[in-house]
Amino acid sequence: MRRIEIDDDVYAELERNVKGFEQPNDVLRRMLLEKSHSTPGSSGGPSPAAPSIPGALTALIEKGFVKAGDTLSHVQVRKGRRFAATVETDGWIRTELGRYKEPSPALGKLVGTSIDGWAYWIHDPTGKSLRRLRAESGAAGRGGR
């Protein structure tokens, strides 16, 4: 991870643009990367020609354990809450709050606390956790804990 220094006024602007439980880096990612992936006049979606950093689920997609478009879910039974996400072609995870390279930040932003997304996201088509799929695929060395 690289570090940069920013002025107080830039940091204040980042704080004004926070959505949900975003950190300043998440705001920058949303503001810069999502804009760079859209084309003028488009609906704001990714441009087909836009380069993409592979997400943590890329190895599972390449090995056929997960497919683009598959859904992930997490249920908090006692709180009566259900969270959903979709696996994208580039291995990223899309939730109602945005796109995430890794499972843990994707789930953490939804539940409002730090949580192991590999353990607690359930791959709906198989009923297995992402951690279990990763272990079965032999991709445990890639993409997270």
Side-chain angles (χ1 to χ4, degrees):
M1 179 180 297
R2 301 192 192 284
R3 303 246 181 236
I4 62 170
E5 288 187 31
I6 58 173
D7 297 327
D8 290 337
D9 57 332
V10 173
Y11 190 81
E13 184 63 24
L14 289 174
E15 287 182 324
R16 279 192 290 276
N17 284 284
V18 167
K19 291 182 180 177
F21 294 97
E22 284 183 325
Q23 297 297 313
N25 187 71
D26 301 318
V27 176
L28 282 171
R29 176 176 300 284
R30 179 172 42 81
M31 294 174 80
L32 297 173
L33 296 182
E34 286 185 11
K35 284 182 183 175
S36 72
H37 287 180
S38 62
T39 56
S42 75
S43 62
S47 165
S52 179
I53 299 168
L57 302 186
T58 301
L60 292 175
I61 293 171
E62 289 170 351
K63 293 180 179 228
F65 283 78
V66 172
K67 293 183 179 84
D70 284 355
T71 56
L72 307 174
S73 61
H74 172 68
V75 179
Q76 291 179 320
V77 177
R78 288 189 290 171
K79 292 185 177 181
R81 299 192 313 174
R82 177 180 169 80
F83 303 98
T86 305
V87 177
E88 298 198 328
T89 356
D90 56 4
W92 284 56
I93 298 167
R94 180 170 295 279
T95 72
E96 64 188 49
L97 299 177
R99 279 174 36 98
Y100 299 88
K101 181 180 176 189
E102 297 282 341
S104 296
L107 187 54
K109 297 295 180 194
L110 291 169
V111 301
T113 188
S114 181
I115 186 168
D116 183 352
W118 288 103
Y120 291 103
W121 273 124
I122 300 301
H123 178 244
D124 291 331
T126 62
K128 298 177 182 180
S129 71
L130 292 178
R131 174 179 285 157
R132 184 167 174 196
L133 289 174
R134 187 174 59 175
E136 290 177 4
S137 75
R142 297 175 66 181
R145 306 190 255 194

